[in-house]
Every structure is written in C-alpha cells, then in structure tokens.
Amino acid sequence: MLDNAHTAVGQTVEEAFGEIIALAQLAERRGYERFWMSEHHAMPAAATSSPQLMLARLTGETDRIRLGAGGVMLPNHAPLVIAEQFGMLDGLAPGRIDLGLGRAPGTDLPTALALRRHHDANDDFPQQVLELLGFLDDDFPDDHPYRSVHAVPGPWQADQNRVPRPSTAPDVWVLGSSPYSARLAGQLGRPYAFALQFGDADVVSAMRLYRESFQPSRILSEPYALLSVGVVADDDPAEARRQAASSAMAMLRMFQRRPYSLLPPEEVEAYRATAQEQHVLDMYTRRFLNGTGPQVAAALERLHAQTGVDEVMLVVMGHSRRAQTRTLEVIADHYALPSR
C-alpha cells in the first residue's frame, strides 16, 4: 500500500496524519507487506513534504509491516543527508525500511526551482544514487573524494565505537515510469518500482527493459519488480467511482496549473466540464481502478499477468479517508488476508 498523505478539502492535516497512522496499523493487521509514503511539495491534497518524518512516527506505531518512501525525490536532497536519515530509520525499525528513489521534483516548476536551485538536477541522478549507496555502505574507493566522509548512523560509526556493524540496512529501490528508470534499476542490480498511477506509460516495455538490462548484484541475483496503481474499492461500485472521480479531478486541476486539490464528490459531479476536460476526467477515473472487490481484483490480476511483476502496490485514492480504509479492507477480504 502507498499513501500520498491525501488531505482532502474539508480535512485538516492533523486529522489526515492521525488517519494515516490508523491506516498503517490496519494494513499491518490485515497482512499487507509494505506501507510506503511519497514526497510531494506545494500541493493542498498531499501533506508529506518529508515522508521520512512520517515514517519515523510509524516505526513506533507498527511492529511488522515494512515502511518505506515511495519515494524520496533524490535531486531535491543531498545524498549524504538521505543516507543518514534512513540509517536512523533502520536503527529504529531494523530490517523494515525501504528507500525508493525517484528523480521527478514531486511538484510544480517554480517550487522545483526553489528546491533544486539549478536546472540540471536530474542530469546527475545516476551519480547521486551511486553516492547514496556509497554512504549507506561506507564503501567508497580509496581515491573517491568522499572516502573520508561517513554517514552516521552507519558501518563506520559502529567500527569507531567498537560494536558490531548493523546487520540490516534500508532496501534501496529505483522508482520511475519510463525506460530511463527501468534501465538504471537493471544496471544497478536493484529492485524496480513502476508508478502506473501517474499516466499511460508503457509498463510492459519498461519491465522488459529492466529484465534485459539487469546485472546481478550483491543485493539481487535476479530482477525483482513492483507495480503501483491507483485503486478505489467499495461494496458499492457507484461510490467507488465517485471517489475515483474526485482523484481524477485533482489530476485535471494539476494539468490546468491549478492546485492539486481533492474536492468532495458532490462538487465534482456538479462541475460543468468541457469535452476536453471530460475526456481527462473519464480517462483518469478509469485509470484509477475502481469497483467492487472482485472487479478491482480482476483488473489487478490482468496487470499482473501482463507485467509479471513480483508485487502489486495499491495507491489508495479518493476524497474520503473512509474510502481509502474501505479499499484496504475490501481487497484484503477478497484475497482472504488474515485479520490479526
């Protein structure tokens, strides 16, 4: 499950954060494998400018489920800082931390410029990933300029304090929705997460490219991939569609360079859309899989058959936090996941 910290019109951020904690705990009780959060900036409907802060809270609110960033937009940050922050998270929840790395800004252009301060931040993404991995593992070559720089917590600190090195480390994933990210993940021998919720990208070709370019590493001997997709499931298919339409309207607003806001379904239904706007609304309402448990599960299984991914991640959508909770429960019930 992936939660974008959606904060809908009519909901305070304090309410949203409390419900995120409850959702993560419910996901753990129902047997889900991972709970990820994403980095976004300057969006009324997305309240995780720093997913790692929320993950720190969740390490103390959960016991088993893996917690991760899906993802951290690495060009927004110094690799050393991210290595240190996720080293701390792994110290709080050893063996339960995932670090997904993306290169998109997670916001609009003016905010991206404020975050990155220069135009070519994306060009250095592969180098930034290698730097981050070097800091996490503390294994820069002797002639590397950062050989004497160490991420703390980490292996170097343990050596200095004469204690065993950490037995776990964050699992680093490459995120994306393009051939670029697929090839990079394969070349690095890292797990790959494809974000289908953002657009009509060619996931089948991306997965093929990832597997063809994969080079075994000490982390993975063979490719391992995850597909994330927007989902709204409810016993009432009409309600599921209404909630999906609210998320579709947020996407339309973003394309129109208006704030990404989750409007109430009643307001979306009353909106007088042009033919072009209606096309976008219909497209995204379909793209965010919606319906009853069996209907959504059938669509998920078709995606799994097409892509051969190892995991499917549900991106919970909709205006209502109740709808997102219901999605989790309906899908868990369909697959007879345990209720701990």
Side-chain angles (χ1 to χ4, degrees):
M1 173 163 291
L2 186 144
D3 192 319
N4 287 309
H6 277 152
T7 310
V9 169
Q11 183 182 46
T12 68
V13 70
E14 293 85 0
E15 291 169 339
F17 286 163
E19 290 175 352
I20 289 167
I21 294 169
L23 193 67
Q25 293 171 330
L26 178 60
E28 179 170 78
R29 290 198 303 272
R30 292 309 311 264
Y32 284 80
E33 179 70 14
R34 306 178 193 274
F35 191 91
W36 284 9
M37 303 199 72
S38 55
E39 175 186 344
H40 290 96
H41 301 272
M43 293 183 180
T48 45
S49 53
S50 178
Q52 48 270 51
L53 284 178
M54 196 68 198
L55 295 176
R57 174 65 182 270
L58 293 177
T59 62
E61 302 283 356
T62 59
D63 298 308
R64 179 199 59 81
I65 196 167
R66 294 193 67 90
L67 303 169
V72 165
M73 302 298 104
L74 190 56
N76 293 346
H77 309 278
L80 173 59
V81 172
I82 299 302
E84 292 176 331
Q85 290 175 348
F86 278 79
M88 291 181 69
L89 287 172
D90 189 66
L92 289 168
R96 288 205 290 139
I97 301 300
D98 297 327
L99 171 53
L101 302 174
R103 66 188 183 108
T107 188
D108 56 60
L109 180 57
T111 308
L113 293 175
L115 285 165
R116 300 184 173 184
R117 302 287 175 151
H118 55 92
H119 294 278
D120 59 350
N122 279 8
D123 298 342
D124 297 331
F125 182 65
Q127 181 61 35
Q128 292 171 329
V129 174
L130 291 174
E131 281 185 15
L132 173 62
L133 295 175
F135 285 126
L136 286 172
D137 297 334
D138 196 57
D139 65 350
F140 286 114
D142 290 339
D143 59 350
H144 195 280
Y146 295 152
R147 183 66 186 90
S148 62
V149 181
H150 310 282
V152 174
W156 176 83
Q157 182 195 38
D159 292 345
Q160 294 298 306
N161 289 337
R162 304 174 190 173
V163 296
R165 288 191 168 199
S167 59
T168 62
D171 279 358
V172 178
W173 293 66
V174 174
L175 275 57
S177 57
S178 69
Y180 177 96
S181 56
R183 185 179 292 108
L184 178 62
Q187 291 171 346
L188 293 176
R190 293 282 168 171
Y192 179 49
F194 187 96
L196 191 60
Q197 66 270 23
F198 292 130
D200 192 20
D202 186 355
V203 60
V204 174
S205 296
M207 289 298 168
R208 183 176 63 249
L209 181 59
Y210 168 58
R211 293 171 182 126
E212 290 173 352
S213 61
F214 185 83
Q215 299 177 18
S217 67
R218 66 177 183 81
I219 302 299
L220 284 180
S221 59
E222 56 187 30
Y224 194 90
L226 175 154
L227 170 68
S228 62
V229 60
V231 171
V232 184
D234 196 281
D235 298 323
D236 179 359
E239 177 60 19
R241 181 175 177 81
R242 292 174 77 239
Q243 294 292 332
S246 180
S247 292
M249 175 61 81
M251 295 298 294
L252 173 63
R253 290 174 59 87
M254 186 174 64
F255 295 148
Q256 295 172 331
R257 298 188 178 181
R258 301 164 67 193
Y260 179 88
S261 300
L262 279 168
L263 305 179
E266 298 78 13
E267 195 170 331
V268 175
E269 290 171 343
Y271 181 74
R272 294 180 178 273
T274 66
Q276 185 176 13
E277 289 174 335
Q278 193 62 52
H279 173 74
V280 174
L281 290 171
D282 291 344
M283 177 180 65
Y284 271 95
T285 300
R286 290 192 303 269
R287 183 166 294 149
F288 301 143
L289 307 180
N290 62 88
T292 64
Q295 289 171 335
V296 171
L300 292 173
E301 288 163 13
R302 285 193 295 270
L303 279 173
H304 180 258
Q306 292 167 1
T307 60
V309 292
D310 300 281
E311 298 185 30
V312 174
M313 180 166 279
L314 311 182
V315 184
V316 288
M317 311 299 291
H319 171 270
S320 163
R321 275 282 164 184
R322 177 203 168 278
Q324 296 168 21
T325 300
R326 193 70 197 122
T327 293
L328 184 156
E329 293 269 32
V330 167
I331 297 301
D333 289 345
H334 177 80
Y335 286 107
L337 295 182
S339 182
R340 294 186 176 89

